[in-house]
Each structure stands twice: as structure tokens, then as C-alpha cells.
Amino acid sequence: MLRLGVLVSGGGTNLQAIIDRIGSGDITDTEIAVVIASREDAYALKRAEENGIRCLSVVPGRFTDKSSYEEALAGALDEAGAELIVLAGFMIVLSGGFVKKYEGRIINIHPSLIPSFCGNGCYGLKVHEKVLDRGVKITGATVHFVDSGTDTGPIIMQKAVKVLKEDTPESLQRRVMEEAEWEILPAVINAFAHNRIILEDNRAYMEE
Ligand code: GAR
């Protein structure tokens, strides 16, 4: 049984997609060991509570520096026995040292087709604003392993979504979630649980 540690910051719709796909049997041999939020008011915590999942907040502002924050975060993940760390709308950039500790077992969902519209300062709704400003016709979402850079780790799975003429950042965000994020994040987790993800020479492959 693969034990997930899910890190969240906000609404938690990606967390909900994981919960639902475990419930429906699309993700098997997997359980959520813990949900950890970077904010006390993250709605994702409610979703975890409602589903009887262990959850807590570890808030960066409560610590004197980044290393003590990350020590507390790692402590909570390790205590819960988390084997795969899933950044599901987690808005904190983790240090190289933290990422190294979980190398090959920490993944992130990003709401664009990396390497477009990603990197420092490009997250959440801002991604979709930039997509519309640039006028691209295709966007999407990416699940990738996390390395010491921002959105630079090996890409595991991507799915494209059409940009419509009438899209607003909000409507595009919603469609990217519905058509791409809530599909590919559960698919990657299920593949990981069944050893179908291969990481070789800094490239990731998902076996069918
Ligand atoms: C999602 O669109 C996720 O891809 C994005 O934030 C949203 C969180 O929504 N993450 C990033 O931008 C990370 N760079 P959720 O809390 O409802 O899952």
C-alpha cells in the first residue's frame, strides 16, 4: 500500500480528485497518510477532515527560518510514513536540501504545458492570465518530479487543453483542472503505486 503525503495551500480540488479516484477504485493500493497545508484556512483541510484523513497545517510564517519550517514539514511527513509526496496546489518553493531528501518520490502538478508558463512567480491563476495575454491556443497541465529548481524536474505526464476565444483566467483555470489536472495527477499516482514510472538519466517515463 503506497502511503501519500499530500501538501496543499488552498482549495484542494486536486486533493479531492485523488480522494475520489481512490474511492472509485481508479487509484488502487494507495492511501492518503497525511494532508499538510501551508495555511490554516486552506479549504483543502476541510476536505481531508470530511473524509477522515489525518491533516494538519505547518505554516511557514510560524518559523524563524526556512530550514526550521522544512524540518517540521519533513518531520510530519516522516511521522505519517509518507512514501510519495504530492504537491497538489502547494504554493511554497521547497529548498534543494528538502527536495534531495525525497528525490524520486516527490511530484508536483502545474497548470500549464511545461516549459511554457512556469517558474518563479508563475502559479495558480497567474498562469492562466499569462496564457491569455500571450494568446496561445493550446495550454494544459503537467505532472513532474520535483528537483531543486522551480518546475524544472523530469516531466511524467502532460495533457493539452484548448484555449477558447471567450475564456477568462477563471474559466480557463477551471477547464484545465477538469480536463487535465484531475485526470493526470490521479493517473500518475496510480502508475507510481504500481511501479510504472521509470526515472532514468533525469527523464521520466510512464509505462502503459
Ligand atoms: C491548481 O491549478 C494547481 O495546478 C496550481 O494551483 C491550483 C491549486 O488548486 N498549482 C500551481 O500553480 C503550482 N505551481 P487546488 O488547490 O484546487 O488543487
Side-chain angles (χ1 to χ4, degrees):
M1 192 67 108
L2 175 70
R3 291 175 68 77
L4 304 179
V6 184
L7 304 188
V8 294
S9 294
T13 64
N14 278 287
L15 167 67
Q16 190 67 54
I18 301 167
I19 295 170
D20 293 346
R21 296 305 174 84
I22 291 175
S24 66
D26 290 314
I27 301 177
T28 53
D29 302 314
T30 303
E31 64 189 349
I32 303 178
V34 69
V35 170
I36 305 175
S38 62
R39 299 166 54 120
E40 269 163 7
D41 61 353
Y43 188 72
L45 288 172
K46 275 228 162 57
R47 296 181 191 270
E49 267 166 25
E50 275 166 12
N51 286 278
I53 298 166
R54 177 170 170 184
C55 62
L56 69 155
S57 58
V58 181
V59 180
R62 296 267 164 82
F63 296 85
T64 47
D65 53 29
K66 188 141 187 159
S67 73
S68 50
Y69 162 65
E70 289 186 342
E71 212 172 287
L73 190 58
L77 287 167
D78 295 347
E79 198 193 320
E83 295 161 312
L84 176 66
I85 317 303
V86 181
L87 310 189
F90 187 63
M91 300 306 177
I92 306 292
V93 176
L94 296 163
S95 74
F98 183 93
V99 168
K100 186 91 195 145
K101 176 173 155 70
Y102 297 104
E103 200 174 3
R105 54 192 194 95
I106 176 166
I107 61 173
N108 177 49
I109 176 95
H110 183 77
S112 76
L113 294 175
I114 291 175
S116 291
F117 306 104
C118 63
N120 281 328
C122 197
Y123 57 86
L125 199 61
K126 290 183 192 183
V127 175
H128 307 289
E129 285 167 2
K130 286 177 199 276
V131 163
L132 292 177
D133 282 351
R134 187 62 188 85
V136 299
K137 307 305 176 214
I138 304 282
T139 184
T142 303
V143 178
H144 64 93
F145 280 110
V146 177
D147 68 5
S148 59
T150 306
D151 303 326
T152 52
I155 291 170
I156 306 169
M157 191 175 185
Q158 295 186 299
K159 190 167 177 211
V161 174
K162 270 188 188 166
V163 180
L164 305 178
K165 191 163 157 263
E166 59 273 20
D167 263 325
T168 61
E170 289 78 10
S171 71
L172 186 56
Q173 178 180 52
R174 182 76 195 176
R175 259 200 354 280
V176 167
M177 285 174 160
E178 283 172 358
E179 293 177 19
E181 296 187 46
W182 303 340
E183 295 299 320
I184 65 175
L185 186 57
V188 167
I189 291 169
N190 190 50
F192 193 96
H194 298 97
N195 299 316
R196 286 196 286 106
I197 296 178
I198 292 144
L199 187 52
E200 236 175 48
D201 295 334
N202 213 35
R203 284 192 194 179
Y205 304 92
M206 202 164 115
E207 289 176 337
E208 290 305 315

